[in-house]
Amino acid sequence: RGFTQRGWPRSWRDHDLKRHYDVVIIGGGLHGLATAYYLAANHGITNVAVLDKGYMGGGGSGRNTAILRSNYLTPEGVRFYDRSLKLYEGLANELNYNVMFSRQGHLTLAHNDSALRTMRWRAEVNKVQGVDSEVIDPRQVKELVPHLDTSTDTRYPILGALYHPPGGTIRHDAVVWGYARAADHLGVQIHQHTEVTGIDVDNGRVTGVRTHRGDISAGTVINCTAGWSTTISEMAGVFMPVTTSPLQAAVTEPVKPFLHTVVVSGTLHVYVSQTDRGELVFGASVDPFTSYSTRGSLAFAEGLAGNVLRLMPALSGMRLLRQWAGLCDMTPDYSPIMGTTPVEGFLVDVGWGTYGFKAGPVAGEAMAECVATGKMPEIIADFGLDRFASGRLVGEKGAAAVGH
Ligand code: PYC
């Protein structure tokens, strides 16, 4: 396995590219690595390569705000994300890696009647699916988060909230590293800095992948990218109804722990949680334009600060330390696109919008099953690419953490 220069054991190995793999996964983020891990762990498929033009977890997996929840709006979405949360709960054991899962509970604030109505709707759908969510009043909100301004004479008074106790946060990098190390142990090859330049298709069937390090033949190719999901799919001749927008986030200096619940306001386009190190992690809605830029902007920092202070005026003295952006591939119904495509052997796990991170484990589990059995697992059957032609959409916009 080898050691780094500092004497630390390597988490995964480097390899020369082989000429053939049974499965090539494009995209070494959480989804690609989880798929590789479950292919090997659940189905014994180990002749697998994970390719990434950058480093493992350098895209959305390392840029999200690490929030976990399953309080979605559609039954399909709730079932799917609930399975993911269950896998997250057991992940430290499964991977033998400290992923720092923290079940703090998740609050989505309602500042007007229509938001409150949507919270009630979500709470009922959640309960029917066996997921713990309920609407609470401003007094209960204040008990959970004393720093929130729950007074009634504000521009955006808090009328209530959807409270989801199973939600929380996790250490996002650790999740990526844990899956990568476990997949490597099982024989999967991880190839960082390996850019895919083309996908070979013969007679409607995928036959291989071209990279700047050489060509590979493969029976199955899975597109697990974000930001470049349309570019990769187009290499196989598959069109994706996806547009890409940046989503910015920021982190403050560390302070003594005072916030023990994830707080989200869709109306104010802001969410906040506190890490174990004491930093506050903030995010907003996607930038209102399409772009592949991962740089932060002053306009975002200004807008964010104003909205955070509307919610928690006591934070006015805190300093932002860093800001960044990740790329969100948005679909028309805000649900992902998963499974088979018209090109045989070319599968996709894309279009994750603003909630791909929380779906990583279940997406990997389901995609691995799809490859191993050749059938769409029931849990992702509603997320197929064909739904855009049939019109059977899975509208999840009402459960997006933030306005879009
Ligand atoms: O869907 O919970 C969410 C979320 C948080 C940050 C971005 N999306």
Side-chain angles (χ1 to χ4, degrees):
R1 169 161 314 281
F3 290 86
T4 65
Q5 278 175 348
R6 292 185 179 174
W8 295 341
R10 281 192 185 283
S11 287
W12 58 84
R13 294 160 287 185
D14 291 331
H15 303 271
D16 291 333
L17 267 191
K18 289 200 285 187
R19 299 292 302 278
H20 173 82
Y21 294 93
D22 295 336
V23 181
V24 170
I25 296 171
I26 307 173
L30 170 55
H31 285 243
L33 291 164
T35 303
Y37 169 75
Y38 290 114
L39 275 170
N42 292 0
H43 306 284
I45 299 174
T46 56
N47 187 19
V48 176
V50 181
L51 313 180
D52 198 290
K53 72 173 182 169
Y55 59 92
M56 291 299 114
S61 306
R63 294 165 182 275
N64 64 83
T65 44
I67 295 172
L68 305 181
R69 64 185 176 96
S70 58
N71 57 357
Y72 282 72
L73 178 65
T74 64
E76 299 90 324
V78 177
R79 277 196 296 272
F80 180 73
Y81 285 93
D82 188 43
R83 173 71 189 152
S84 212
L85 205 47
K86 298 242 159 58
L87 289 169
Y88 266 125
E89 283 166 11
L91 207 57
N93 262 348
E94 165 104 26
L95 303 179
N96 185 26
Y97 206 98
N98 182 7
V99 287
M100 299 168 74
F101 177 75
S102 165
R103 169 179 267 190
Q104 358 183 315
H106 183 285
L107 268 185
T108 314
L109 305 175
H111 303 276
N112 53 49
D113 289 340
S114 67
L116 204 51
R117 200 166 46 239
T118 308
M119 300 310 158
R120 291 214 170 91
W121 179 2
R122 281 169 67 182
E124 294 312 310
V125 175
N126 286 194
K127 281 181 208 157
V128 170
Q129 297 300 324
V131 167
D132 187 4
S133 289
E134 58 173 329
V135 173
I136 61 174
D137 63 30
R139 190 186 44 81
Q140 294 166 295
V141 171
K142 187 79 177 170
E143 271 167 25
L144 281 166
V145 187
H147 284 76
L148 276 174
D149 181 1
T150 50
S151 56
T152 49
D153 56 348
T154 57
R155 171 77 179 82
Y156 298 100
I158 295 171
L159 303 186
L162 181 66
Y163 180 44
H164 176 53
T169 58
I170 201 163
R171 177 74 208 282
H172 55 352
D173 294 324
V175 174
V176 170
W177 300 331
Y179 271 120
R181 188 181 72 165
D184 173 274
H185 275 195
L186 294 171
V188 167
Q189 290 196 354
I190 292 174
H191 294 282
Q192 308 190 87
H193 307 294
T194 305
E195 182 168 355
V196 170
T197 54
I199 296 177
D200 294 322
V201 176
D202 188 20
N203 242 337
R205 182 167 222 313
V206 82
T207 55
V209 167
R210 277 176 257 155
T211 82
H212 81 285
R213 289 174 57 201
D215 298 348
I216 305 168
S217 70
T220 302
V221 175
I222 315 178
N223 177 3
C224 287
T225 60
W228 288 269
S229 65
T230 47
T231 312
I232 295 293
S233 287
E234 270 167 33
M235 289 179 185
V238 175
F239 173 77
M240 298 270 113
V242 164
T243 57
T244 302
S245 297
L247 175 56
Q248 297 193 45
V251 68
T252 65
E253 61 187 331
V255 292
K256 192 171 164 183
F258 70 93
L259 181 62
H260 307 291
T261 310
V262 180
V263 177
V264 177
S265 165
T267 304
L268 287 171
H269 308 300
V270 71
Y271 34 94
V272 52
S273 65
Q274 188 168 24
T275 69
D276 294 320
R277 285 190 300 243
E279 302 143 331
L280 294 184
V281 182
F282 298 124
S285 52
V286 289
D287 285 342
F289 45 80
T290 54
S291 164
Y292 292 111
S293 165
T294 51
R295 298 184 60 174
S297 69
L298 180 60
F300 160 80
E302 270 191 314
L304 176 82
N307 288 333
V308 166
L309 293 185
R310 283 198 157 105
L311 290 179
M312 299 191 205
L315 302 190
S316 63
M318 287 192 70
R319 285 170 292 194
L320 279 189
L321 285 193
R322 293 186 299 283
Q323 69 181 106
W324 65 92
L327 298 179
C328 296
D329 282 347
M330 313 303 296
T331 63
D333 60 359
Y334 292 75
S335 286
I337 308 175
M338 302 182 73
T340 53
T341 69
V343 173
E344 209 185 321
F346 181 68
L347 276 62
V348 292
D349 169 24
V350 302
W352 286 100
T354 57
Y355 24 70
F357 176 71
K358 43 190 79 37
V362 68
E365 184 185 56
M367 290 306 293
E369 186 183 331
C370 192
V371 172
T373 62
K375 297 195 194 102
M376 283 281 268
E378 218 228 298
I379 198 156
I380 59 167
D382 294 302
F383 300 129
L385 177 61
D386 56 354
R387 75 179 185 275
F388 299 105
S390 68
R392 208 181 18 80
L393 303 186
V394 188
E396 275 298 359
K397 193 171 183 178
V402 286
H404 292 104

